[in-house]
Amino acid sequence: MSEPGVTEPDQQELAKLRNGKIFVAGHRGMVGSALVRRLDRAGCENLLLRTHSQLDLENQQQVLDFIQSEKPDFVFIAAARVGGIQANNSNPAEFIYSNLMIATNLINAAWKASVQRLLFLGSSCIYPKHAPQPMSEDSLLTGTLEPTNEAYAIAKIAGIKLCESYNRQYGTDFRSLMPTNLYGPNDNFDLKTSHVLPALIRKFHEAKTNDSDTVEVWGSGTPKREFLHVDDLADACLYVSCLPGFVYTENIDQRLSHLNVGTGQDLTIAELAYKIKDTVGYEGNIRFNPSYPDGTPRKLLDVSKLNGLGWKAGIELSAGLRSTYDWYLQNQ
Ligand code: GDP
């Protein structure tokens, strides 16, 4: 039995990765740092990493020069401008511009430099607000999006379509993974810009430390969300990059344009809040504040495709919350 959060990828394909040069864009973020840990563990030693000040991914010429001179064999796009409901809702221009530029610059440069394989990461918010639940890959572009994160979602949909179009026209091997809501080490715990899970860890921890009698949770508490530990996502990234025969086909039924990755289970924000309250050991009250937006009512991913290809999430939410809270205590 392998340990939770580790699924062995195809060994022949993994050998190619081990022998190649791998560029992880966004290696300092929550996703990129988890990916670096996973690649490291898999014996991939030739990692190409650049900080934001060394390489501006929104600058087309810089990205092109960098990819053409370094000639990586594999590219993982873990870089993105991300944020919670409030940040997305208040800064749509920044979210659409940055994410479009990052995806366009890297995907086009990867094609020009004959990169063997690229993995693009999106998000479950690409699916319509009222898509049937759980949301399968086929729901893409079947309805209108949730308005609070429409700008971000459009940029991520463009990323999928860029990969698909380059595969179709140029025969590249550019793959896309759409993760559900993520959490884990190196998450953003800033209350104005973060997602719900790190925000609640911080709010409950501070309330416990300051002896406050109430913690405010935004919205009605009724929306449902699915949470995937970032180490599980990193494992899925390696697994999917090592899937043999993931090629563009004209047959839409066989085409693996993009794959969902999640746990297949969700819970209400209220249930999440009580779980985090227990994890932190806070004994006061919770007050829901409906003057904040709820966002989309539910976004549970249908993960049957990826499960059918042999990958399943391994980290239980309770264990993931515990280890993330421990990380927060050590790094806050
Ligand atoms: P979303 O999944 O794109 O909607 O992004 P979030 O993770 O930011 O929000 C998920 C849900 O949690 C929404 O219904 C929020 O209103 C709710 N929520 C409750 N308390 C908080 C909080 O303190 N911060 C954030 N970001 N969301 C919260």
Side-chain angles (χ1 to χ4, degrees):
M1 268 294 279
S2 61
E3 62 188 271
V6 176
T7 308
E8 286 308 325
D10 182 277
Q11 293 301 304
Q12 250 180 331
E13 295 296 318
L14 179 59
K16 290 186 198 165
L17 238 78
R18 284 198 185 114
N19 293 329
K21 192 188 227 186
I22 306 171
F23 175 46
V24 179
H27 72 284
R28 281 182 159 179
M30 173 170 67
V31 173
S33 56
L35 196 50
V36 168
R37 290 195 296 275
R38 183 65 186 94
L39 289 167
D40 209 40
R41 187 194 166 113
C44 299
E45 289 172 356
N46 196 357
L47 300 188
L48 186 58
L49 308 170
R50 289 292 182 275
T51 61
H52 190 143
S53 59
Q54 292 169 320
L55 175 66
D56 178 4
L57 295 170
E58 294 180 23
N59 183 310
Q60 186 180 32
Q61 198 59 52
Q62 274 188 35
V63 172
L64 197 56
D65 291 346
F66 169 75
I67 300 280
Q68 283 188 323
S69 68
E70 291 289 346
K71 297 199 187 332
D73 301 292
F74 301 93
V75 171
F76 288 88
I77 308 186
R81 183 178 294 267
V82 294
I85 192 164
Q86 198 75 344
N88 268 279
N89 206 18
S90 321
N91 311 298
E94 283 173 34
F95 279 85
I96 195 165
Y97 177 80
S98 295
N99 290 303
L100 278 175
M101 293 302 281
I102 293 170
T104 310
N105 292 344
L106 282 169
I107 291 167
N108 187 58
W111 162 62
K112 286 201 162 164
S114 305
V115 165
Q116 273 181 46
R117 201 167 283 172
L118 172 146
L119 189 74
F120 173 71
L121 291 171
S123 150
S124 59
C125 68
I126 57 161
Y127 296 116
K129 176 170 181 155
H130 297 297
Q133 303 286 322
M135 303 179 295
S136 80
E137 287 84 353
D138 302 337
S139 323
L140 187 66
L141 296 173
T142 55
T144 47
L145 297 163
E146 154 62 31
T148 53
N149 53 26
E150 186 190 58
Y152 175 79
I154 293 277
K156 290 298 180 183
I157 294 171
I160 297 176
K161 290 296 166 188
L162 276 161
C163 290
E164 210 178 279
S165 303
Y166 278 67
N167 291 345
R168 185 171 155 205
Q169 189 174 345
Y170 302 128
T172 46
D173 183 351
F174 295 169
R175 310 173 177 197
S176 300
L177 256 189
M178 298 300 123
T180 190
N181 294 36
L182 300 168
Y183 72 99
N186 291 315
D187 206 344
N188 168 16
F189 289 86
D190 177 309
L191 294 180
K192 284 205 187 79
T193 55
S194 68
H195 282 103
V196 59
L197 192 152
L200 294 185
I201 287 183
R202 178 168 176 176
K203 284 185 183 175
F204 282 112
H205 174 75
E206 287 181 353
K208 179 180 150 187
T209 314
N210 304 332
D211 258 339
S212 316
D213 58 7
T214 308
V215 163
E216 183 184 82
V217 174
W218 296 352
S220 63
T222 58
K224 294 186 94 176
R225 293 290 183 273
E226 178 188 8
F227 297 94
L228 179 73
H229 193 281
V230 72
D231 287 344
D232 262 339
L233 172 70
D235 191 61
C237 288
L238 185 68
Y239 191 84
V240 168
S241 338
C242 290
L243 276 177
F246 186 110
V247 287
Y248 180 82
T249 148
E250 290 295 336
N251 183 340
I252 201 155
D253 296 329
Q254 291 173 4
R255 191 185 305 164
L256 289 177
S257 152
H258 60 285
L259 280 169
N260 291 341
V261 52
T263 62
Q265 287 173 345
D266 60 358
L267 74 174
T268 64
I269 296 300
E271 287 166 336
L272 176 75
Y274 283 102
K275 257 184 180 292
I276 296 180
K277 177 179 186 264
D278 283 352
T279 306
V280 169
Y282 171 68
E283 291 182 344
N285 306 306
I286 294 178
R287 186 181 61 234
F288 293 94
N289 184 345
S291 64
Y292 284 92
D294 270 344
T296 200
R298 197 179 182 198
K299 45 176 171 176
L300 178 64
L301 286 179
D302 177 347
V303 289
S304 54
K305 252 188 191 166
L306 185 54
N307 289 171
L309 290 164
W311 188 89
K312 269 198 172 61
I315 303 173
E316 293 287 338
L317 182 58
S318 310
L321 285 178
R322 180 77 253 159
S323 61
T324 305
Y325 182 46
D326 288 344
W327 185 91
Y328 174 76
L329 289 175
Q330 279 157 28
N331 296 276
Q332 59 180 302

